Amino acid sequence: MNITICDDNIQDLTELEILLKKYKELHSNIHFEIETFLNPSILYNKIQENKLADIYVLDILMSETTGIELGNIIRTHDDKNAIIYTTSSDDFALEAYHIHAIRYLLKPIQENQFFEAMDYAVSYTKFKKVPIYSIKTKNGLISVPYSNIEYIENASRMLHLHQTNGETITSIFIRKSFEDEVNELSNNPYFIKVHKSFIVNMNFIQRLEGNHMVMRSGTIVPISKKNTTNVKRQYLLFVSKQFT
């Protein structure tokens, strides 16, 4: 595991490195290398070359390139790494949220807060090795493994993610189209968009019946008329592959 720290204040950079080394001593079972950057532009160029770390600890307010800019370029390459922001101002919390930063720590950094953030970052990067779908809720960003999703419904401009355990996660009001919101799932071979407002995990289809399907939970999901033929063909192809 690789961890990168970037802060253009030498004192803050040194203090973060000390905290990270102390965390490493307390967690001998976690093996990682530490790389520090005083110049954010150098780190920016490295990210552009797709040389990515697993965890980033980034200051937000830097002179040449901000932590938000670094976060944006990181996210264009990968969404599986954890980003922890440190800053002397809380003015950028919304921007950090949009980048899916896992923590937003105000300076001076408290040891217990930093260690908690690192615990979460380590578990986050391990969890991200399996495909997950992130949904924005009023309580923050929630990540759900693809394998836990039975289907997602768009109703009243909100996503209702129905899980295999019977629980439902509801998003905040979505500004993009439903198609854009579930695009990553549409590109996955296990998911199929069956209606303008529904996308389902084919692993949990119990049976097809005319213009609808019955999910394993017993829920009836409609199939739009124009999609009926394509949905049946794709589902039969999916089923046939399970037995080859």
Side-chain angles (χ1 to χ4, degrees):
M1 182 180 294
N2 297 308
I3 301 177
T4 289
I5 310 171
C6 184
D7 196 311
D8 64 351
N9 181 300
I10 185 63
Q11 182 177 342
D12 289 347
L13 182 68
T14 301
E15 289 176 357
L16 284 169
E17 187 176 13
I18 290 171
L19 280 173
L20 195 50
K21 287 180 177 178
K22 185 173 181 180
Y23 179 85
K24 187 175 184 180
E25 290 174 359
L26 294 171
H27 298 80
S28 57
N29 60 315
I30 303 174
H31 304 285
F32 58 82
E33 300 296 326
I34 304 170
E35 190 172 18
T36 61
F37 290 86
L38 188 61
N39 185 337
S41 295
I42 296 176
L43 175 57
Y44 186 94
N45 292 334
K46 184 171 183 178
I47 296 167
Q48 285 279 40
E49 295 171 1
N50 206 30
K51 297 176 181 177
L52 301 175
D54 298 292
I55 299 171
Y56 288 91
V57 183
L58 307 175
D59 183 30
I60 288 184
L61 298 172
M62 295 184 284
S63 57
E64 295 187 27
T65 301
T66 69
I68 297 298
E69 291 172 324
L70 288 174
N72 278 320
I73 192 66
I74 289 168
R75 287 292 173 249
T76 63
H77 289 274
D78 202 342
D79 65 348
K80 297 180 177 61
N81 25 44
I83 298 175
I84 299 170
Y85 277 124
T86 65
T87 182
S88 55
S89 169
D90 61 2
D91 292 340
F92 299 90
L94 185 59
E95 287 89 340
Y97 173 80
H98 289 318
I99 291 169
H100 300 171
I102 64 163
R103 289 294 184 272
Y104 187 92
L105 305 179
L106 290 176
K107 296 179 180 181
I109 307 300
Q110 303 299 312
E111 181 179 288
N112 63 326
Q113 292 179 336
F114 182 75
F115 285 1
E116 185 278 333
M118 281 303 304
D119 285 342
Y120 187 81
V122 170
S123 63
Y124 178 89
T125 53
K126 290 180 179 178
F127 181 63
K128 272 287 193 175
K129 291 180 180 179
V130 299
I132 66 166
Y133 180 76
S134 297
I135 181 169
K136 296 176 183 178
T137 74
K138 63 181 180 180
N139 296 318
L141 194 68
I142 297 178
S143 297
V144 183
Y146 283 12
S147 58
N148 289 1
I149 301 172
E150 183 176 60
Y151 68 96
I152 299 177
E153 176 186 5
N154 177 30
S156 302
R157 299 290 294 171
M158 291 184 289
L159 302 180
H160 301 273
L161 187 154
H162 298 266
Q163 300 184 87
T164 55
N165 62 5
E167 296 180 359
T168 300
I169 299 172
T170 301
S171 77
I172 57 176
F173 184 84
I174 62 172
R175 300 189 180 278
K176 296 180 182 179
S177 67
F178 179 59
E179 186 173 357
D180 287 340
E181 290 285 351
V182 298
N183 182 58
E184 66 175 90
L185 293 176
S186 298
N187 293 323
N188 183 280
Y190 295 127
F191 286 84
I192 183 170
K193 191 167 175 283
V194 300
H195 186 277
K196 65 178 182 180
S197 300
F198 287 89
I199 187 168
V200 305
N201 187 334
M202 288 190 283
N203 286 302
F204 304 109
I205 297 174
Q206 186 169 320
R207 63 184 182 274
L208 297 180
E209 294 184 352
N211 62 352
H212 67 268
M213 59 181 56
V214 180
M215 304 303 292
R216 190 174 297 177
S217 62
T219 302
I220 295 175
V221 173
I223 304 172
S224 64
K225 187 176 181 179
K226 69 176 183 178
N227 281 346
T228 302
T229 301
N230 181 56
V231 169
K232 288 181 178 178
R233 183 176 64 251
Q234 287 198 47
Y235 180 61
L236 290 174
L237 182 61
F238 171 78
V239 172
S240 67
K241 286 182 178 180
Q242 310 308 306
F243 297 96
T244 58

